[in-house]
Amino acid sequence: VTGATALTIASGAVDIAMLSVTGTADATTYLRGDNSWAAAGGNNTPSFQAFLSSQQNNWSTGTWTKVPNDTEVFDTDSDYDTSAYRFTPTTAGKYFFYGQIQSSSNNGTLSSSNVSVYKNGTEISTFRWEGRSGVLTGDVQIPQTMVVTEMNGSSDYVELWGKQATYAGTRVDLVGEAAGARTYFGGFRLL
């Protein structure tokens, strides 16, 4: 179009075929400012959630121990290892991770219960519940933790760890169940 004065293009005179646009237009895409079609939204993958399927008796009294979440609820990109209890995402980005453990002393002597997310073997998020002898004791405590961290999409990994203690060195159990509501670990990539 050339001319010395302002020109008007009639409504409907320019269609998609006349534009130099890359990609394919359909009901799920929009035209971006860089002249390409893109899908709106996105998804928060890779993502996963795994849980402890059965109770672990005499577990981790006074020692940090990896939580054996051995059963997957979902794992969109097969990045969670149910034998190493570790998530190694194959896509780089920022991730939100969460975890919970249920500790039980079965006799009211549980003195502390801790849960942590570890990245590449280093603690990055911890929650600690602590009671005091003669003041507050309990049979069951459920600490939870969550964290946002950057993952490189190749070698970075995260794990859930826990540590419990009791008064007088009595037994602590880590509670698991087939429904997955007691002890679990999950995460997803943020958009």
Side-chain angles (χ1 to χ4, degrees):
V1 177
T2 61
T5 60
L7 300 175
T8 303
I9 299 175
S11 178
V14 178
D15 63 15
I16 291 173
M18 299 172 133
L19 300 173
S20 70
V21 177
T22 60
T24 304
D26 63 30
T28 65
T29 59
Y30 67 95
L31 183 59
R32 293 172 26 133
D34 65 358
N35 216 24
S36 66
W37 294 102
N43 57 43
N44 295 97
T45 58
S47 62
F48 79 102
Q49 185 166 319
F51 64 91
L52 177 65
S53 61
S54 62
Q55 182 159 307
Q56 304 289 305
N57 293 329
N58 296 312
W59 186 80
S60 177
T61 303
T63 304
W64 282 103
T65 304
K66 193 184 324 182
V67 179
N69 291 302
D70 57 356
T71 304
E72 293 177 337
V73 177
F74 60 88
D75 183 3
T76 63
D77 292 49
S78 300
D79 291 341
Y80 184 78
D81 184 335
T82 57
S83 59
Y85 320 120
R86 173 182 291 182
F87 179 70
T88 308
T90 52
T91 302
K94 289 183 174 59
Y95 283 77
F96 177 84
F97 295 106
Y98 56 92
Q100 169 179 298
I101 62 173
Q102 181 170 331
S103 304
S104 172
S105 66
N106 294 318
N107 58 13
T109 63
L110 187 64
S111 61
S112 68
S113 185
N114 305 266
V115 62
S116 293
V117 173
Y118 278 47
K119 177 181 174 183
N120 302 330
T122 302
E123 177 186 312
I124 60 172
S125 173
T126 297
F127 180 84
R128 175 181 174 87
W129 170 87
E130 185 171 352
R132 293 191 342 224
S133 179
V135 178
L136 177 64
T137 60
D139 285 331
V140 177
Q141 290 301 321
I142 307 174
Q144 300 172 332
T145 191
M146 59 192 76
V147 66
V148 173
T149 190
E150 189 85 25
M151 303 296 282
N152 67 15
S154 59
S155 60
D156 284 344
Y157 64 90
V158 291
E159 302 165 321
L160 192 68
W161 287 67
K163 180 174 83 168
Q164 286 66 239
T166 63
Y167 303 110
T170 53
R171 170 180 143 182
V172 177
D173 301 329
L174 185 63
V175 181
E177 62 166 5
R182 308 286 184 191
T183 297
Y184 56 82
F185 183 37
F188 54 88
R189 186 172 61 90
L190 299 171
L191 292 178

